Amino acid sequence: NMFTSFKFVYPAVGSFDDGSDSYVKLVVENVGSTIILVDNIQVFVFSDPISSSRSQSSTIPQSSTIVEPRVSESDDVLVAVVVSVVLVILLIVVVVVIVRRGRNSRPKVVNIDVIVADKVSSGFSRQDHPLAHEGFNKGYCLKIEGDKDYIPGMELHLQRNVKYRFRLHNVPKDFPFYITSSDIGSSNGMGEYTNGVNHSPGVANDVVSFVPGSTAPTLLYYQCTHQK
């Protein structure tokens, strides 16, 4: 602070009487004091001019003030570089966290294969459809990706915010697949549920997707828009 508060009038280079150390003597215009830099490490400020005696000049009075050397420009640059690197690292961490959260927020995907088969056990399944003796004699058989066998009239337990893809396989055009709140179905799509549903009703090799949202009913049905 003292370097910026006072104006140096003139410098003088000299040495102590025994010649062991050198010093730079500066006179401060405002206070008429003497500043000594010994080996460019410490700065001593005295209230009166420096004496030629080594013992006097090397002794710091009780009223003396030690002024720390100023930070060099190279140190300032180093600090700025370090701060910049830290900020860049923090920015990278923030971006990575945001990207990971974005990935986690995407709905998981579950693929379900759908075919139409006789409700009574056939080559596609070893068991009968739950409604084998009600309604039309054919119904949907489902198989979750990774499973071995199709299950007629399979009961599904869905999770909210998970994407379910019903992949139809050669579903007849008179047997359109759709999602409904009706336990009967048919009647040209009675009670069709459309929130979060895409490409419904589906036939042939269509893919009907469904993402149950927070407002989705706790009970829904997959049905045919034409047959019961």
Side-chain angles (χ1 to χ4, degrees), residues 16-79:
F16 294 110
D17 292 342
D18 57 7
S20 60
D21 289 313
S22 61
Y23 64 86
V24 176
K25 180 173 69 177
L26 299 173
V27 177
V28 181
E29 181 182 54
N30 301 58
V31 296
S33 300
T34 301
I35 299 177
I36 301 176
L37 282 78
V38 179
D39 293 336
N40 294 323
I41 298 176
Q42 291 181 321
V43 180
F44 304 147
V45 179
F46 296 92
S47 57
D48 54 4
I50 186 171
S51 169
S52 61
S53 170
R54 169 64 186 268
S55 61
Q56 292 179 357
S57 59
S58 61
T59 303
I60 304 176
Q62 293 296 324
S63 60
S64 301
T65 302
I66 299 179
V67 181
E68 295 296 334
R70 292 185 64 187
V71 179
S72 65
E73 292 184 3
S74 59
D75 291 336
D76 289 337
V77 172
L78 179 60
V79 171

Side-chain angles (χ1 to χ4, degrees), residues 130-178:
L131 301 175
H133 304 291
E134 298 181 35
F136 197 66
N137 63 355
K138 292 184 181 294
Y140 294 115
C141 296
L142 278 61
K143 178 170 70 77
I144 297 177
E145 186 176 36
D147 290 350
K148 182 179 180 181
D149 298 323
Y150 281 93
I151 299 178
M154 180 181 184
E155 184 176 292
L156 298 173
H157 297 273
L158 309 186
Q159 296 180 359
R160 299 185 189 277
N161 299 318
V162 174
K163 186 175 184 178
Y164 295 88
R165 300 174 72 247
F166 295 90
R167 303 185 299 192
L168 310 186
H169 297 278
N170 300 318
V171 171
K173 63 180 181 180
D174 58 345
F175 224 91
F177 178 96
Y178 81 116

Side-chain angles (χ1 to χ4, degrees), residues 180 199 223:
T180 175
H199 308 296
Q223 299 273 17

Side-chain angles (χ1 to χ4, degrees), residues 208-219:
V208 178
S209 64
F210 177 38
V211 180
S214 58
T215 60
T218 57
L219 180 61

